[in-house]
Amino acid sequence: MANAGNGGIIGVQNVVQNGCTATATASGIWQLNTVYQYIKDSDWVYNFTNLDYLVIAGGGSSGGCSGGGGGAGGMLSSFPGGTKVDLREGSGNTVTIGAGAAAAAPGLTCGNQGAPSTLGTITSTGGGFGGDHNADGGDGGSGGGSHGVPGFFGGDGIAGQGSDGGGGTPAGGGGGGKTAVGGNGPGGAGGAGGPNLIAPAYPLGTTFAGGGGGHGQPGVGGNPGPGGGGTGQGTGGSPSPTGATPGVDGLGGGAGGGYPGGCPGSRPGGDGVIFVRMPTACKPAAYAVAPGTNTTSVVGCCTVATFTVTGTLTL
C-alpha cells in the first residue's frame, strides 16, 4: 500500500483568461518535501493579474561644457495590442521609477546616465549621457549626443526602447528619443519621443521620452525632442539667457546641452514614469497603489495606476 503522506493531487500552474485571473490549477503528484520547499520560498500556488503597461526610464543629463544633449529614458509598452505583463496577486509588487541623471560637475565633464525603471519582468534602460568636449555620447535606452570634430559619435540607443544620439560637429549633437535619432550639431535637435494613450488624461501629455537638444556653437541651441526633452543653449546664451533646460520629470526626457562660459552648462535628465492598466472588471479586491504620491484613475472600462515615484502595486 502506498504511503498517502508522500504526495497528493494539487495545482501549481497559474492560468490567465481573457485578461482576468483564473483559478490556478494543474493536476499532478507532488512530494510533500517539494511542496514544503515551494511554500518556504514563497513560491507556491498563487494567481496573477494580466496587465498592460508603459515603462519609461530616467533621462540622461547633458555634457558639462558646450555638450551634447542627454538621451531619453528607454520606453517599453504593451499598449495597445502587445504582450502584457503578469503580476502576482496577494502581495505588494514593487514598481521602481528610474531617476533622471544628475547634472555633471562643472568643468570638462560628460553627463550621467539615467536610472532604469522596472515593473515585474519589464525593465527600461536609462538614457545615455551627453558628451563633453571631444567625447562620444553615452549609450542607453536612447543615446546621448556627442561633442567634437568628426570621429566622435552619439551614443547608441537600444532597439525597441529608443534611438541613437546625434554627432556634434563642432558642438552639441542632440540626444536620441523614442522614435527619432538626435540631430547632428551644432545645436542638434533632440530626437522625438513616442505617443502612447494608455493614460489619455495624464497631465503632462501623451508623448514620452524625448531627447535633449545640443549646445549650439556657433548659433542657437537645439530644439527639445517632443516628449520631455530639454532645450539646448546657444553661444552667448541664445535662445535662453538662463541656460539650457533639464529633461522633464514624469516623461523621461533627456537634458539640453549648455553654454560653456565657466562650464556650468550641464542639466539633469527627467525622472521616468510607469503606467499599469487593466479592465476594471478584472481588478482584484485588494488593489491599491502606494505611496499616496502615486495615483489611480478610471479610463472608460479600465483602471489605470500612475507611478511617478517608486512604490508598490497590491493586487
Side-chain angles (χ1 to χ4, degrees), residues 7-303:
I9 299 175
I10 33 190
V12 294
Q13 283 189 332
N14 302 287
V15 180
V16 178
Q17 299 174 342
N18 301 321
C20 293
T21 304
T23 304
T25 59
S27 61
I29 298 175
W30 300 87
Q31 298 298 319
L32 286 181
N33 61 341
T34 302
V35 175
Y36 169 78
Q37 191 62 48
Y38 273 117
I39 294 172
K40 181 180 177 182
D41 294 340
S42 299
D43 199 24
W44 189 227
V45 179
Y46 45 81
N47 292 333
F48 288 85
T49 298
N50 201 217
L51 305 163
D52 273 312
Y53 63 87
L54 172 61
V55 177
I56 297 171
S61 60
S62 53
C65 184
S66 190
M75 175 174 168
L76 292 171
S77 183
S78 67
F79 187 86
T83 301
K84 300 180 182 182
V85 65
D86 292 334
L87 294 184
R88 179 179 171 177
E89 292 186 14
S91 62
N93 296 275
T94 299
V95 180
T96 303
I97 303 300
L108 302 180
T109 310
C110 292
N112 297 297
Q113 184 175 2
S117 290
T118 302
L119 173 72
T121 59
I122 307 301
T123 298
S124 294
T125 303
F129 60 78
D132 202 76
H133 270 289
N134 295 333
D136 295 332
D139 299 338
S142 284
S146 71
H147 170 94
V149 297
F152 293 93
F153 303 97
D156 293 334
I158 297 174
Q161 295 196 32
S163 305
D164 298 344
T169 306
K178 168 61 177 177
T179 62
V181 300
N184 292 329
N196 194 288
L197 292 174
I198 193 169
Y202 185 52
L204 298 179
T206 56
T207 301
F208 305 86
H215 174 254
Q217 186 183 21
V220 299
N223 290 325
T231 301
Q233 191 171 4
T235 303
S238 172
S240 171
T242 58
T245 60
V248 177
D249 289 340
L251 293 176
Y259 178 61
C263 297
S266 178
R267 294 293 184 267
D271 295 343
V273 64
I274 291 177
F275 301 93
V276 180
R277 176 173 172 143
M278 74 192 79
T280 301
C282 301
K283 185 175 71 174
Y287 172 91
V289 299
T293 305
N294 300 316
T295 60
T296 186
S297 61
V298 176
V299 179
C301 63
C302 292
T303 296

